Amino acid sequence: MIEENKNATPAEYSADSIQVLEGLEAVRKRPAMYIGDISEKGLHHLVYEVVDNSIDEALAGYCNNIDVTINEDNSITVIDDGRGIPVDYHEKEGKSALEVVLTVLHAGGKFNKGTYKVSGGLHGVGVSCVNALSTLLKAEVHRDGKIYMMEFSCGKALNEIQVVGTTDKTGTTISFKPDNTVFTVTEYKYDILARRLRELAFLNAGINLRLTDRREIREDGSFKSELFHSDEGLKEFVRYVDKSKEKLIQDVIHIVTEKQGIPVEVAMTYNTSYNESVFSYVNDINTIVGCTPQAGFRRG
């Protein structure tokens, strides 16, 4: 039998109880909602978010080289030779487009159909979340013959956008140091990042992705480094995952087509094993739990 405590005072619930989180506060308050978790998976996901922006530039035809570096202090630097994040004044937000991209959730060029025909994700929270969860993020943009620079800490700008030099190149460099008060794991693993970059190289034929680890020095004095590049894309991907198995057919079945304006690419082969391996991707993002295209492929 449970007795009701008639003297208990009900918790006050009024307008004052409604909390509004400004800017990127929500990301810092509930980081796992945005990046999956705050351990190893989430830590590495920060890198993927920055690299995916560079990949979007590559998919649009403006980027050929992406360099990812693990620095000695476990910070990360991602460099691409794309067009560079826009830096001009954003009328609605009242600040530079660079600051908008890095500090405002659901902001980016992916929502404008004329900017990116294909992109990895359409929520616009990626790089701004990286910024929110980093004690220091430095953005350097090469664009219009100038080098623009801006620094942030925990999602807040430390300075106005500055012109720090001239250049004859284009591209974006993002360096960030994850906040160790947020993450339970703070050390990046080379093999985890290498796996994702190798995957992206297979999914985006012709692009160069390089991973460098400045924490490990080889006998010749150079840093541990690896270049990921694929000329044949998915065909090479299938050969790679199937290399240890006995083949039933020598060639890889490769189909590239387009239906209702949506490009589709399929590569497959057969071996003597009884288990199948299916990897499906939509806009370079692995659909781990399955997807409509995968279901359609099976039915076909």
Side-chain angles (χ1 to χ4, degrees):
M1 180 177 176
I2 299 175
E3 287 189 18
E4 182 182 354
N5 184 357
K6 296 181 180 180
N7 296 321
T9 304
E12 187 68 28
Y13 186 52
S14 63
D16 293 335
S17 306
I18 307 302
Q19 185 179 9
V20 178
L21 300 177
E22 300 290 340
L24 297 176
E25 290 178 57
V27 182
R28 292 190 60 81
K29 188 89 171 176
R30 297 285 185 269
M33 285 179 59
Y34 296 87
I35 60 168
D37 65 28
I38 55 172
S39 60
E40 186 175 88
K41 180 182 176 182
L43 182 74
H44 290 79
H45 189 81
L46 296 183
V47 183
Y48 307 157
E49 289 287 4
V50 179
V51 171
D52 283 348
N53 280 359
S54 300
I55 288 291
D56 287 342
E57 279 289 279
L59 289 170
Y62 298 103
C63 175
N64 296 307
N65 300 285
I66 302 170
D67 291 299
V68 179
T69 301
I70 310 171
N71 299 307
E72 294 90 341
D73 61 349
N74 269 289
S75 64
I76 296 288
T77 300
V78 179
I79 305 172
D80 70 45
D81 60 355
R83 291 169 290 183
I85 298 173
V87 294
D88 47 315
Y89 187 76
H90 194 283
E91 291 289 345
K92 183 179 179 182
E93 294 295 329
K95 55 184 107 173
S96 73
L98 177 63
E99 186 174 351
V100 172
V101 168
L102 291 168
T103 61
V104 179
L105 289 176
H106 310 297
K110 302 177 183 184
F111 302 106
N112 182 347
K113 291 182 180 179
T115 305
Y116 293 116
K117 182 180 179 182
V118 177
S119 64
L122 291 173
H123 40 62
V125 301
V127 74
S128 54
C129 287
V130 177
N131 192 11
L133 302 175
S134 300
T135 52
L136 180 65
L137 183 144
K138 179 180 177 182
E140 187 178 288
V141 177
H142 291 238
R143 189 180 172 102
D144 305 323
K146 298 177 181 178
I147 302 174
Y148 300 87
M149 193 270 288
M150 198 167 183
E151 291 184 329
F152 305 81
S153 179
C154 300
K156 296 180 180 178
L158 296 178
N159 57 271
E160 297 288 333
I161 190 168
Q162 302 171 346
V163 177
V164 295
T166 58
T167 181
D168 58 356
K169 301 177 182 178
T170 62
T172 302
T173 299
I174 299 289
S175 298
F176 66 91
K177 178 80 164 96
D179 189 343
N180 60 13
T181 66
V182 172
F183 292 94
T184 58
V185 175
T186 57
E187 184 175 343
Y188 278 103
K189 292 189 176 179
Y190 181 93
D191 290 343
I192 292 177
L193 294 179
R195 190 182 310 125
R196 176 58 177 161
L197 295 186
R198 182 183 295 108
E199 188 178 65
L200 287 170
F202 284 133
L203 294 169
N204 300 276
I207 299 173
N208 298 313
L209 296 107
R210 182 178 294 278
L211 177 61
T212 302
D213 191 346
R214 296 177 64 91
R215 302 168 304 179
E216 187 171 335
I217 301 176
R218 293 170 172 163
E219 291 182 0
D220 62 0
S222 64
F223 294 113
K224 181 179 181 180
S225 186
E226 198 170 352
L227 176 66
F228 303 99
H229 175 91
S230 173
D231 289 320
E232 295 185 284
L234 288 194
K235 287 182 72 173
E236 280 189 68
F237 197 178
V238 169
R239 292 193 195 104
Y240 177 79
V241 298
D242 207 51
K243 62 185 177 182
S244 62
K245 299 181 177 67
E246 183 183 351
K247 298 178 178 62
L248 277 177
I249 60 174
Q250 290 304 308
D251 207 5
V252 174
I253 301 168
H254 188 214
I255 302 166
V256 181
T257 187
E258 187 172 306
K259 293 292 183 182
Q260 298 177 353
I262 300 172
V264 179
E265 186 174 1
V266 177
M268 59 182 288
T269 192
Y270 292 93
N271 57 51
T272 58
S273 65
Y274 291 96
N275 298 320
E276 69 171 9
S277 296
V278 179
F279 302 89
S280 64
Y281 300 83
V282 175
N283 298 350
D284 281 340
I285 306 301
N286 191 345
T287 57
I288 300 170
V289 295
C291 61
T292 303
Q294 184 176 324
F297 172 72
R298 288 183 182 280
R299 290 186 65 183

